[in-house]
């Protein structure tokens, strides 16, 4: 599991659409779908139900999403503290 995959999950849940999330993330929709399929295989659980009207977060996906949002926020804090600070030195 990568932080990028976790960020993808959050974006998909927020937009309720693979296409909209792909546009927001500046990645192709097939690459986004493949990353999510890989993550679901690794976790051995389905995070989203795909429909022709968008995606629905599964019960397991909702649980994962609560952790994913924390991970994304923590990633931002680490980046602000260490990455952005080292640029200004």
């Amino acid at each position: 599991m990568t932080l990028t995959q976790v960020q993808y999950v959050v974006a998909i849940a927020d937009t309720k659409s693979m296409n909209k999330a792909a546009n927001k993330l500046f990645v192709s929709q097939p690459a986004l779908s493949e990353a999510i399929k890989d993550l679901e295989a690794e976790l051995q659980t389905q995070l989203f139900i795909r429909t022709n009207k968008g995606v629905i977060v599964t019960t397991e996906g909702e649980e994962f999403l609560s952790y994913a949002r924390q991970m994304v926020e923590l990633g931002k804090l680490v980046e602000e503290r260490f990455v952005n600070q080292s640029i200004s030195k």
Side-chain angles (χ1 to χ4, degrees):
M1 173 180 4
T2 67
L3 184 56
T4 299
Q5 288 173 311
V6 173
Q7 290 168 329
Y8 287 178
V9 170
V10 172
I12 294 165
D14 288 348
T15 61
K16 297 179 178 36
S17 164
M18 289 280 193
N19 288 328
K20 289 178 184 175
N23 287 334
K24 178 181 175 181
L25 296 164
F26 303 105
V27 298
S28 70
Q29 187 275 326
L32 179 63
S33 291
E34 189 65 31
I36 296 304
K37 284 180 188 175
D38 290 347
L39 178 60
E40 289 176 324
E42 181 181 339
L43 299 174
Q44 298 180 353
T45 190
Q46 185 177 11
L47 301 174
F48 299 104
I49 298 169
R50 290 116 169 119
T51 72
N52 58 356
K53 294 184 180 183
V55 297
I56 301 165
V57 182
T58 64
T59 302
E60 293 85 4
E62 287 289 351
E63 184 178 356
F64 181 84
L65 194 55
S66 66
Y67 292 110
R69 291 187 190 284
Q70 292 175 43
M71 291 171 68
V72 169
E73 192 59 37
L74 186 57
K76 288 178 187 176
L77 291 172
V78 169
E79 187 173 296
E80 288 172 10
R81 170 63 177 92
F82 294 99
V83 178
N84 294 339
Q85 187 177 31
S86 66
I87 293 171
S88 63
K89 287 184 178 180

